[in-house]
Every structure is written in structure tokens, then in C-alpha cells.
């Protein structure tokens, strides 16, 4: 994998829809700890990597957009080295 991963917001929404059993248009924008753990797990599986999120990164994730930004940072860093 090079550059930015192909992970998008729609991917995260689909992952949460799978967890909650809700249609994608009813998935909330905010992310709780259980939803975050689920997303990390699925993203790690999808990219066959382990994301080592710092406490600061975890504390900063409150929304899907926050999660996407942090995941991109982690995935790009793991691809670079």
C-alpha cells in the first residue's frame, strides 16, 4: 500500500451499520468506545495491520470523521515504514 489508504467515510459507516444492524442512513455521526473498538478491529483486518493508537489519538476520536483522520494517519505511517 502506498500513499493514502483507500479507506473512506462510507466504509466506516458501513462497518458501523453492520455492528448496529441499522441502515447506513441511520448510523450516528458520533462514535462511542464500543463502536471505535469495532472500527479499529475491522480496519486492522482489512489492511492486515495492527494500529498502535496513542492515548491522545483515542481521546480525540469522537466522530466518524475523527476516526477516519486518525486511521489514515496510522495506515499511512505503517505503509511508510
Amino acid at each position: 500500500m502506498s500513499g493514502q489508504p483507500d479507506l473512506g467515510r462510507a466504509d466506516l459507516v458501513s462497518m458501523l451499520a453492520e455492528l448496529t444492524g441499522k441502515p447506513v442512513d441511520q448510523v450516528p455521526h458520533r462514535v462511542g468506545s464500543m463502536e471505535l473498538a469495532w472500527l479499529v478491529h475491522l480496519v486492522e483486518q482489512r489492511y492486515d495491520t495492527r494500529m498502535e493508537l496513542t492515548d491522545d489519538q483515542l481521546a480525540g476520536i469522537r466522530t466518524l470523521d475523527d476516526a477516519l483522520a486518525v486511521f489514515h494517519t496510522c495506515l499511512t505511517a505503517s505503509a511508510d515504514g
Side-chain angles (χ1 to χ4, degrees):
M1 177 174 50
S2 62
Q4 285 283 34
D6 62 350
L7 181 68
R9 189 178 194 281
D11 297 309
L12 298 183
V13 170
S14 294
M15 291 173 187
L16 286 181
E18 180 183 335
L19 171 68
T20 63
K22 294 181 179 180
V24 293
D25 63 342
Q26 292 181 11
V27 171
H29 179 72
R30 296 199 57 83
V31 178
S33 59
M34 184 175 76
E35 292 88 2
L36 180 55
W38 177 253
L39 291 174
V40 169
H41 169 71
L42 291 181
V43 170
E44 286 179 339
Q45 281 188 334
R46 179 175 179 173
Y47 291 98
D48 192 28
T49 190
R50 177 139 170 92
M51 292 192 297
E52 299 292 338
L53 302 176
T54 67
D55 290 342
D56 288 341
Q57 286 173 316
L58 289 170
I61 298 175
R62 291 186 172 82
T63 66
L64 286 171
D65 293 330
D66 296 338
L68 185 60
V70 170
F71 293 170
H72 274 188
T73 299
C74 290
L75 292 170
T76 302
S78 66
D80 291 341

